[in-house]
């Protein structure tokens, strides 16, 4: 009897030990379900690691219009400084590293930028005219966090170096934590959001004084609310309230083109209310009715396009330049520059990132979008999201044409400057398009894409640091 009882106890002990061992093994497994549940933790650890390095180690003004962002952040907290003390020429555009190269190469960088105290100056005496930004604008709201960091750095030690580094660190911590909670809150598309958030462009933006950091966060939050609404398939106060709050925040605090994202909600709401009725309506409409509807929609779009294009030389000129861009580009390097700055190269001509990396990133993010769990049933949502993405590209072409003068520029239909960062927030729409249950990508698994993305993310951000510092030290 005792022997039987002993054997039973021994059996239960071995079973518990086996279950515990299996449980511990499952904790470190890398199956798709575990990766999806823990991807937000991966985001936070990688983002903080590289974010701290980028905030402290990168040259100053490493974001587009870097001097402009420092000036505006300083103005908000009434700490307008004369940066000519540091040898800066106060240009808001152009080669923003050229004045830092001698200090890097001579080894007196710390002494010049961190030990030399700033000299305060009135705002109206700045070398380039500026003003206190309007409160209800992205220029003010997007600079609140870096402005707080500038104020903190000044009170730790009043040097430009300390002001910028503290502003970067504060921005990085705030925006990284916000995106971490957005990814955690998200029901679908977590991997896509993680990859976008850990791209060199997003990482560098968060670790800077740019208002683009807030724009990225607001875009991510707004689309996340939409994704959760689609996944639940119903409208409730719990998703209507964040929808309204997110829409208001994007309208006032995000860059102008990102306001297009607000249109995703009418599309989603219409889809939910018309669930199952869209196909019936199309079936009921006669061929003549469909044709008439299409003509009416086309006329409305055409009238809207004509009115919008008047400020840019007219619809004919806009169409001409779009045609020239896609058929004959006088300066293809400009477009390559913009493509690089969507995900990989934060500041073109300064971060000498290899072009092959850009190709890998686009393949990676598209693969991630298509291997995620399918949750979109209505094609109206998928094609609506795609339409907003394309509309944003068209808006960028209209607003940033380089060829409004005569001569060579007149046939250069490319986007001028480094405007790729205006496309980056729109990539959050990808799960709504690729998440359609009719779109299947069976050639690659979720696990493969997730693990590959982890490797590419680490390599890319390491290259961003190396390439930028190597360029400024050697060239």
């Amino acid at each position: 009897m005792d022997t039987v009882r002993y054997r039973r106890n021994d059996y239960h002990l071995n079973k518990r030990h086996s279950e515990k061992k299996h449980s511990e093994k499952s904790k470190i497994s890398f199956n798709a379900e575990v990766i999806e549940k823990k991807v937000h933790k991966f985001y936070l650890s990688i983002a903080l690691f590289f974010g701290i390095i980028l905030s402290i180690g990168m040259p100053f003004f490493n974001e587009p219009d870097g001097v402009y962002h420092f000036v505006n952040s300083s103005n908000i907290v009434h700490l307008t400084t004369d940066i000519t003390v540091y040898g800066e020429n106060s240009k808001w555009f152009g080669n923003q590293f050229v004045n830092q190269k001698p200090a890097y190469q001579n080894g007196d960088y710390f002494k010049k930028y961190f030990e030399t105290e700033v000299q305060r100056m009135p705002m109206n005496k700045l070398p380039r005219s500026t003003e206190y930004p309007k409160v209800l604008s992205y220029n003010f709201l997007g600079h609140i966090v870096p402005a707080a960091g500038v104020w903190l750095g000044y009170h730790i030690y009043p040097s430009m170096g300390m002001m910028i580094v503290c502003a970067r660190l504060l921005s990085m911590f705030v925006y990284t934590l916000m995106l971490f909670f957005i990814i955690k809150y998200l029901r679908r598309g977590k991997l896509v959001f993680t990859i976008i958030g850990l791209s060199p462009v997003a990482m560098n933006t968060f670790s800077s004084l740019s208002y683009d950091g807030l724009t990225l966060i607001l875009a991510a939050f707004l689309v996340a609310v939409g994704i959760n609404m689609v996944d639940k398939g119903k409208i409730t106060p719990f998703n209507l309230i964040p929808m309204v709050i997110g829409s208001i925040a994007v309208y006032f605090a995000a860059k102008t083109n990102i306001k297009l994202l607000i249109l995703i909600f009418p599309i989603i709401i219409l889809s939910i209310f018309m669930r199952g009725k869209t196909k019936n309506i199309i079936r009921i409409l006669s061929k003549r009715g469909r044709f008439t509807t299409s003509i009416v929609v086309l006329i409305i779009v055409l009238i809207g396009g004509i009115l919008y294009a008047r400020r840019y030389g007219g619809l004919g000129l806009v169409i001409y330049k779009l045609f020239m861009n896609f058929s004959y580009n006088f300066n293809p390097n400009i477009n390559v520059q913009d493509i690089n700055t969507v995900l990989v190269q934060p500041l073109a001509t300064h971060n000498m990132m290899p072009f092959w990396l850009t190709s890998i990133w686009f393949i990676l993010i598209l693969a991630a979008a298509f291997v995620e769990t399918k949750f979109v049933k209505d094609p109206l949502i998928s094609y609506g999201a795609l339409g907003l993405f394309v509309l944003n590209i068209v808006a960028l072409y209209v607003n940033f044409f380089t060829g409004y003068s005569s001569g060579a520029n007149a046939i250069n239909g490319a986007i001028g400057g480094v405007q790729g960062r205006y496309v980056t927030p729109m990539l959050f729409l990808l799960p709504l398009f690729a998440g359609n249950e009719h779109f299947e990508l069976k050639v690659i698994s979720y696990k493969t894409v997730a693990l590959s993305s982890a490797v590419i993310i680490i390599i890319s951000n390491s290259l961003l640091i190396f390439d930028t510092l190597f360029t400024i030290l050697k060239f």
Side-chain angles (χ1 to χ4, degrees):
M1 191 71 178
D2 290 338
T3 304
V4 172
R5 190 178 300 160
Y6 174 78
R7 285 177 180 173
R8 285 178 180 172
N9 290 339
D10 189 51
Y11 168 76
H12 288 299
L13 284 171
N14 288 334
K15 187 178 180 182
R16 286 175 194 165
H17 179 71
S18 176
E19 288 175 352
K20 185 178 179 182
K21 197 171 182 181
H22 178 73
S23 176
E24 289 175 354
K25 186 178 179 181
S26 65
K27 287 180 182 178
I28 59 172
S29 63
F30 290 103
N31 58 59
E33 186 179 349
V34 172
I35 292 172
E36 191 172 5
K37 285 182 179 179
K38 297 185 177 181
V39 71
H40 60 285
K41 295 180 180 179
F42 171 77
Y43 165 78
L44 185 63
S45 58
I46 298 297
L48 289 177
F49 175 77
F50 280 106
I52 292 172
I53 297 173
L54 290 167
S55 299
I56 297 173
M58 292 291 274
F60 300 138
F61 315 128
N62 65 313
E63 68 273 33
D65 310 329
V67 176
Y68 168 81
H69 295 302
F70 175 68
V71 169
N72 271 278
S73 299
S74 304
N75 288 347
I76 287 175
V77 289
H78 303 286
L79 290 174
T80 307
T81 59
D82 181 8
I83 64 174
T84 58
V85 172
Y86 298 91
E88 299 294 333
N89 57 14
S90 295
K91 280 188 176 181
W92 292 358
F93 313 103
N95 192 337
Q96 298 174 147
F97 294 171
V98 67
N99 298 309
Q100 297 177 56
K101 287 184 179 182
Y104 267 100
Q105 294 170 358
N106 297 333
D108 60 349
Y109 187 79
F110 185 83
K111 181 179 180 181
K112 180 179 179 180
Y113 289 101
F114 287 90
E115 293 183 4
T116 306
E117 294 189 12
V118 297
Q119 290 185 14
R120 303 274 298 277
M121 68 183 302
M123 195 184 304
N124 59 4
K125 290 187 178 180
L126 282 170
R128 180 166 177 159
S129 61
T130 186
E131 59 183 4
Y132 195 84
K134 295 179 181 179
V135 174
L136 288 180
S137 68
Y138 65 80
N139 200 17
F140 178 86
L141 298 172
H143 283 128
I144 287 178
V145 176
V150 165
W151 182 91
L152 180 64
Y154 178 84
H155 287 85
I156 293 174
Y157 186 83
S159 69
M160 189 177 77
M162 185 60 72
M163 292 163 74
I164 291 176
V165 168
C166 285
R168 285 178 175 178
L169 286 169
L170 184 62
S171 296
M172 186 273 299
F173 277 117
V174 170
Y175 295 143
T176 296
L177 286 174
M178 290 176 77
L179 188 54
F180 164 76
F181 286 115
I182 289 171
I183 296 171
K184 188 177 180 181
Y185 157 79
L186 196 63
R187 294 172 64 91
R188 304 294 180 192
K190 288 177 180 284
L191 183 59
V192 172
F193 274 58
T194 298
I195 292 173
I196 296 170
L198 292 176
S199 66
V201 167
M203 291 286 291
N204 191 79
T205 300
F206 288 168
S207 303
S208 73
L209 282 67
S210 175
Y211 45 41
D212 292 323
L214 181 62
T215 292
L216 270 168
I217 291 298
L218 293 178
F221 175 72
L222 197 68
V223 177
V225 172
I227 289 173
N228 286 359
M229 286 179 71
V230 174
D231 187 60
K232 289 183 178 180
K234 57 183 178 180
I235 302 170
T236 66
F238 293 103
N239 52 36
L240 271 179
I241 293 171
M243 180 195 77
V244 173
I245 293 172
S247 298
I248 293 172
V250 165
Y251 183 81
F252 287 107
K255 295 297 288 289
T256 306
N257 66 304
I258 305 304
K259 294 175 185 177
L260 284 170
L261 289 175
I262 298 174
L263 296 177
I264 196 65
F265 289 113
I267 295 172
I268 292 172
I269 292 171
L270 180 64
S271 169
I272 292 174
F273 281 136
M274 298 291 292
R275 186 184 300 146
K277 299 177 183 178
T278 308
K279 292 181 179 179
N280 293 333
I281 292 172
I282 294 172
R283 198 178 294 115
I284 292 170
L285 283 173
S286 64
K287 290 183 178 180
R288 184 177 294 179
R290 295 177 202 172
F291 178 75
T292 305
T293 304
S294 301
I295 293 297
V296 170
V297 171
L298 184 62
I299 291 172
I300 293 171
V301 171
L302 187 60
I303 292 172
I306 291 171
L307 293 174
Y308 184 77
R310 284 174 63 185
R311 58 190 291 193
Y312 300 102
L315 186 62
L317 181 61
V318 170
I319 293 173
Y320 166 74
K321 290 185 179 296
L322 285 170
F323 170 77
M324 292 307 297
N325 182 74
F326 289 103
S327 62
Y328 178 84
N329 193 336
F330 187 78
N331 187 1
N333 289 329
I334 294 179
N335 269 353
V336 170
Q337 177 174 290
D338 285 318
I339 293 170
N340 282 348
T341 56
V342 174
L343 288 166
V344 172
Q345 196 171 359
L347 193 58
T349 72
H350 294 78
N351 317 115
M352 299 302 180
M353 303 285 278
F355 186 69
W356 58 263
L357 202 58
T358 295
S359 305
I360 289 177
W361 268 90
F362 278 113
I363 293 170
L364 184 69
I365 201 165
L366 285 172
F370 281 100
V371 299
E372 295 249 41
T373 304
K374 305 301 178 183
F375 66 102
V376 181
K377 297 179 180 179
D378 192 342
L380 175 65
I381 294 173
S382 296
Y383 293 113
L386 180 62
L388 290 180
F389 185 85
V390 173
L391 189 59
N392 177 65
I393 301 293
V394 173
L396 288 179
Y397 273 106
V398 172
N399 281 282
F400 293 103
F401 273 140
T402 58
Y404 283 114
S405 58
S406 60
N409 282 334
I411 59 171
N412 181 17
I415 300 175
V418 285
Q419 315 305 343
R421 66 192 188 279
Y422 293 111
V423 178
T424 310
M426 304 300 287
L427 292 173
F428 289 120
L429 287 169
L430 273 174
L432 286 172
F433 170 69
N436 192 297
E437 56 187 17
H438 297 292
F439 299 157
E440 292 290 341
L441 184 67
K442 298 180 179 179
V443 296
I444 194 168
S445 68
Y446 180 94
K447 177 180 175 181
T448 302
V449 174
L451 296 179
S452 300
S453 65
V455 174
I456 297 300
I457 285 165
I458 293 170
I459 291 173
S460 301
N461 285 288
S462 300
L463 279 177
L464 173 62
I465 298 164
F466 171 77
D467 290 355
T468 306
L469 294 178
F470 184 80
T471 300
I472 202 170
L473 285 167
K474 296 297 181 181
F475 298 103

